[in-house]
Amino acid sequence: MMVKKIIANSVGEAMELVKRDLGDEAIILNTRHVKVGGWFGLFAQKKVELVASVDENPSKEKKKERRPVVERPSRVNPERTQAVPKVISFSSRRLPEELQAYETILEEPALHNRAEQLHELLLSTFYKTNDPTQVQTEFLTAMEQEIQVTSVTSRYVLLTGPTGVGKTTTIAKLAAYYRLTEGKTVGLITTDTYRISAIEQLRTYAEIIDVPLHIAYNLSEFEQAKQQLADCDIVLIDTAGRNFLDEGYVTQLTARHDFADTDVFLVLSLTAKYRDLEQIRQRFTHVPLNGFIFTKADETTELWSIYGLAVEAKLPVLCITTGQEVPEDILWPSKADLSRMLMERGEQ
Ligand SMILES: Nc1nc2c(ncn2[C@@H]2O[C@H](COP(=O)(O)OP(=O)(O)OP(=O)(O)O)[C@@H](O)[C@H]2O)c(=O)[nH]1
Ligand SMILES: [Mg+2]
């Protein structure tokens, strides 16, 4: 194994030297900015130091392993890619100084399964363009391509999720939005009959927004309520919050509701730990979810859970809530809005 340290004026120039001296099989071990020369700390020049290695006697097996790790993204200008060594694998998690801000982002638990892929995207784009702005554009585009948003497609829309995440408040926001902004006829059903206060909470909203509310104590009453509201454009169904880390509650939910002809959204609070959110999401594998509603975006400094969950579950986002005020604290972001929101919050 030959290891070589190269100092050059730019990353692009350093990569050219690696290619010239060590060939296309070179592995980049580390990249950092250094100050060279000068006199008592004055007039030092800023350079790029790149440590690369190459196996001088690669066995057949090893050669096989060293397949290209970094694929050329198809969107990158082909003229610029000519100068980049074809086979480079990045074995170091360190990023060049210009991309340091991304290191914290890649540490996010929500990005755990994507960190390697995103790390490679960042480095390959930087080496091809030497332009942090272009890197950010590619990073945003990658997120935008993976994350999906959706809208309601069925007449019946059911919200489920852990206790206190904001299901009832969100139902009120949705009811106001569909009735007042979209001019639709809206009905409400609640199957949360465990607490009087829960019924009263929704009844108050129903009165203010001026939409009918039906209370269903069992499956037959639920079916009856659905029929009675069958003329509405949209019927929003509120359910009792449960500790869905306990799989038994997911089974109970499926027993109490008929999901045919219903859009089901899992409501999750962005203030919860990603690991818990991911576990809850996995409990719902057998429920035909149409997507997520994320709440309490106003109470957290980072929103990466949105990306992690949506991408892992391959499920779209319906909306995001941003406060306690009904009806205004709700957002209907596009894919582009979402990826921008994630980045902006991540940088704060
Ligand atoms: N900060 C903030 N608070 C919210 C948001 N959405 C709801 N809340 C608050 O969260 C609390 C619980 O809201 P609910 O709508 O009752 O939650 P729920 O999921 O229906 O609760 P259960 O039915 O008991 O499971 C209330 O104090 C709401 O005002 C939000 O987007 N941001
Ligand atoms: Mg509730």
Side-chain angles (χ1 to χ4, degrees):
M1 170 82 64
M2 178 165 53
V3 177
K4 187 159 184 168
K5 189 190 282 181
I6 282 165
I7 294 185
N9 291 322
S10 68
V11 175
E13 190 184 309
M15 292 297 285
E16 275 303 307
L17 292 173
V18 172
K19 190 184 170 189
R20 190 195 69 192
D21 294 354
L22 301 180
D24 285 349
E25 294 284 315
I27 299 170
I28 309 301
L29 299 174
N30 200 7
T31 322
R32 68 184 183 115
H33 281 268
V34 289
K35 286 197 171 159
V36 176
W39 188 59
F40 292 110
L42 296 170
F43 312 117
Q45 274 186 300
K46 214 175 162 193
K47 302 258 184 187
V48 173
E49 180 192 278
L50 201 144
V51 181
S53 78
V54 70
D55 197 344
E56 290 162 299
N57 301 305
S59 69
K60 272 190 183 159
E61 269 310 295
K62 278 196 170 163
K63 253 191 171 168
K64 225 175 160 188
E65 275 170 25
R66 256 209 217 124
R67 296 191 57 76
V69 176
V70 178
E71 300 288 335
R72 258 182 226 167
S74 53
R75 271 168 284 100
V76 173
N77 181 352
E79 280 171 26
R80 301 195 80 146
T81 62
Q82 295 305 316
V84 180
K86 267 190 274 169
V87 185
I88 295 167
S89 71
F90 300 97
S91 59
S92 164
R93 264 293 169 88
R94 298 296 307 176
L95 286 166
E97 202 178 337
E98 290 87 338
L99 308 183
Q100 293 286 290
Y102 292 92
E103 279 190 3
T104 330
I105 292 175
L106 296 184
E107 300 279 307
E108 287 295 335
L111 298 186
H112 185 75
N113 290 344
R114 285 280 182 292
E116 202 67 47
Q117 194 184 324
L118 293 170
H119 181 260
E120 284 179 12
L121 173 76
L122 290 169
L123 275 181
S124 59
T125 312
F126 188 64
Y127 288 146
K128 279 166 197 155
T129 64
N130 206 11
D131 177 4
T133 314
Q134 182 74 20
V135 172
Q136 179 164 31
T137 309
E138 288 288 325
F139 196 72
L140 283 171
T141 310
M143 283 194 291
E144 218 176 295
Q145 282 172 345
E146 284 191 293
I147 213 160
Q148 300 296 327
V149 294
T150 190
S151 50
V152 157
T153 51
S154 303
R155 170 171 294 123
Y156 301 103
V157 179
L158 181 145
L159 268 52
T160 183
T163 57
V165 291
K167 295 176 295 299
T168 307
T169 313
T170 306
I171 291 254
K173 291 173 185 173
L174 294 177
Y177 173 80
Y178 290 123
R179 176 158 147 59
L180 306 173
T181 309
E182 295 211 336
K184 292 187 165 146
T185 50
V186 177
L188 301 180
I189 303 175
T190 182
T191 63
D192 182 3
T193 53
Y194 297 94
R195 289 173 300 122
I196 300 281
S197 60
I199 299 172
E200 286 315 310
Q201 183 188 7
L202 196 55
R203 201 193 303 278
T204 308
Y205 283 129
E207 279 168 14
I208 296 168
I209 304 162
D210 194 20
V211 290
L213 168 68
H214 289 248
I215 298 146
Y217 286 86
N218 52 45
L219 190 55
S220 80
E221 285 185 13
F222 178 57
E223 289 304 330
Q224 228 175 317
K226 276 172 81 178
Q227 276 169 22
Q228 284 165 346
L229 294 171
D231 285 345
C232 292
D233 296 322
I234 286 199
V235 177
L236 300 164
I237 303 156
D238 194 12
T239 60
R242 285 286 181 239
N243 172 14
F244 285 116
L245 284 172
D246 181 341
E247 192 147 25
Y249 285 120
V250 183
T251 315
Q252 272 183 29
L253 177 82
T254 45
R256 269 178 82 102
H257 297 92
D258 171 12
F259 295 132
D261 72 11
T262 302
D263 280 1
V264 182
F265 289 96
L266 179 58
V267 185
L268 294 173
S269 165
L270 291 165
T271 58
K273 281 204 227 60
Y274 181 72
R275 230 171 52 157
D276 293 338
L277 293 177
E278 176 55 19
Q279 209 160 342
I280 292 166
R281 194 275 297 175
Q282 284 176 15
R283 295 274 183 270
F284 278 81
T285 328
H286 304 298
V287 180
L289 290 180
N290 290 74
F292 294 108
I293 292 175
F294 292 106
T295 60
K296 309 197 182 184
D298 55 308
E299 286 194 25
T300 175
T301 51
E302 61 88 15
L303 306 172
W304 292 109
S305 299
I306 299 176
Y307 176 81
L309 289 161
V311 172
E312 286 301 315
K314 295 190 177 60
L315 282 172
V317 178
L318 177 68
C319 59
I320 294 176
T321 74
T322 56
Q324 293 180 287
E325 297 304 318
V326 179
E328 56 264 47
D329 289 339
I330 188 163
L331 295 176
W332 304 87
S334 66
K335 278 158 42 128
D337 295 337
L338 260 182
S339 50
R340 258 197 314 274
M341 276 168 67
L342 297 177
M343 279 301 287
E344 280 163 17
R345 230 20 120 77
E347 282 167 4
Q348 275 170 16

